[in-house]
């Protein structure tokens, strides 16, 4: 099982996710690992219309930590899943605007 790494940073009061679109293989059991070096991050997949391809719809990342999705357990090949990223920075009450990147489930061919 391979991991696809996604880095969440805040720059100039905006959230940047790299890569913004991540592809995971259903057949190869790939997972997403989110990294958040600057603050606490909350990853949330919308319940509708498609929900999450993973076991959970929400993942929390502590400051300097990581959170893994596990392999996709549902979804169709070439299906795109939107998720939201919110970040809370330590010692900063301002909250950067939410970012809406995506996960694409592929065949892994």
């Amino acid at each position: 099982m391979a991991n696809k790494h996604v880095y969440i940073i805040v720059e100039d009061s905006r959230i940047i996710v790299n890569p913004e679109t991540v592809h995971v293989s259903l057949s190869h059991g790939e997972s997403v690992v989110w990294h958040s070096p600057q603050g606490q991050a909350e990853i949330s997949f919308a319940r509708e219309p498609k929900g999450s391809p993973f076991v959970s719809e929400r993942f929390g990342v502590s400051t300097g930590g990581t959170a893994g999705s596990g392999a996709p357990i549902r979804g169709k090949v070439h299906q795109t899943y939107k998720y939201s990223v919110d970040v809370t920075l330590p010692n900063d009450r301002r909250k950067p605007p939410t970012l809406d990147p995506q996960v694409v489930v592929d065949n892994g061919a």
Side-chain angles (χ1 to χ4, degrees):
M1 178 170 89
N3 292 325
K4 300 293 183 99
H5 296 272
V6 175
Y7 296 88
I8 303 164
I9 62 168
V10 177
E11 188 174 280
D12 297 326
S13 297
R14 64 187 182 97
I15 299 171
I16 299 170
V17 174
N18 187 19
E20 192 162 319
T21 299
V22 61
H23 293 257
V24 294
S25 169
L26 190 61
S27 62
H28 293 139
E30 294 176 334
S31 65
V32 178
V33 177
W34 289 278
H35 301 259
S36 184
Q38 296 170 292
Q40 292 181 340
E42 181 75 27
I43 289 87
S44 303
F45 285 85
R47 290 181 186 252
E48 298 295 330
K50 300 174 194 164
S52 170
F54 307 113
V55 70
S56 179
E57 293 176 344
R58 300 176 78 79
F59 301 91
V61 186
S62 61
T63 302
T66 62
S69 66
I73 61 165
R74 62 180 76 83
K76 298 177 184 167
V77 173
H78 304 298
Q79 187 76 54
T80 300
Y81 296 85
K82 291 270 190 188
Y83 65 96
S84 299
V85 177
D86 287 299
V87 177
T88 302
L89 298 171
N91 303 317
D92 192 345
R93 292 178 178 242
R94 296 171 298 157
K95 195 165 190 153
T98 299
L99 184 67
D100 296 311
Q102 58 191 6
V103 170
V104 178
V105 176
D106 285 333
N107 189 2

